[in-house]
Amino acid sequence: MPISDVSEQGSWIVVYDDNNKEIKRMGSSNKEVVGVTSDFFVVLDGNWIVTYDEKCKEINRMGSSNKSVKGASGRTFTVIQGSWIVTYDQNCKEKSRRGS
């Protein structure tokens, strides 16, 4: 089921499908949604960048030191890392990089 929106509502992160029906929710303590695609979403959680599926199940994580999530699109998300713009897949595996 594709994700159409992920929103922070009070102490919850809520995932919606393309019919605006709630798919799942999880606690938002110390978490910030920083990117959404139709397959996964990206959360900054303390010192971690974490990817989740539509059921709020963690896919993978990586350290956030010296990284800032720029956005998410298609099947990837983009991170600014020093003087690099790095593209990762939902498993936090680097796909490509270029100078910023």
Side-chain angles (χ1 to χ4, degrees):
M1 178 175 312
I3 297 169
S4 70
D5 187 35
V6 178
S7 64
E8 297 176 58
Q9 298 176 4
S11 60
W12 296 101
I13 294 173
V14 186
V15 181
Y16 294 94
D17 68 12
D18 53 1
N19 291 317
N20 283 323
K21 286 183 87 174
E22 181 179 318
I23 300 172
K24 193 76 173 177
R25 65 176 54 210
M26 68 180 190
S28 65
S29 178
N30 202 34
K31 295 178 178 77
E32 176 188 0
V33 177
V34 291
V36 179
T37 75
S38 62
D39 297 323
F40 68 98
F41 61 100
V42 185
V43 170
L44 185 59
D45 184 357
N47 294 322
W48 298 98
I49 296 169
V50 187
T51 56
Y52 291 93
D53 68 11
E54 75 278 359
K55 303 281 186 176
C56 298
K57 181 180 175 206
E58 182 176 320
I59 299 169
N60 212 336
R61 66 175 52 217
M62 67 181 179
S64 65
S65 178
N66 196 34
K67 295 179 182 125
S68 173
V69 177
K70 184 176 180 199
S73 179
R75 303 182 72 117
T76 62
F77 66 100
T78 307
V79 171
I80 298 171
Q81 185 174 352
S83 61
W84 296 98
I85 296 175
V86 187
T87 302
Y88 293 94
D89 66 13
Q90 65 185 1
N91 296 305
C92 300
K93 180 180 176 193
E94 183 176 322
K95 303 299 283 178
S96 64
R97 68 172 50 216
R98 64 182 168 88
S100 57

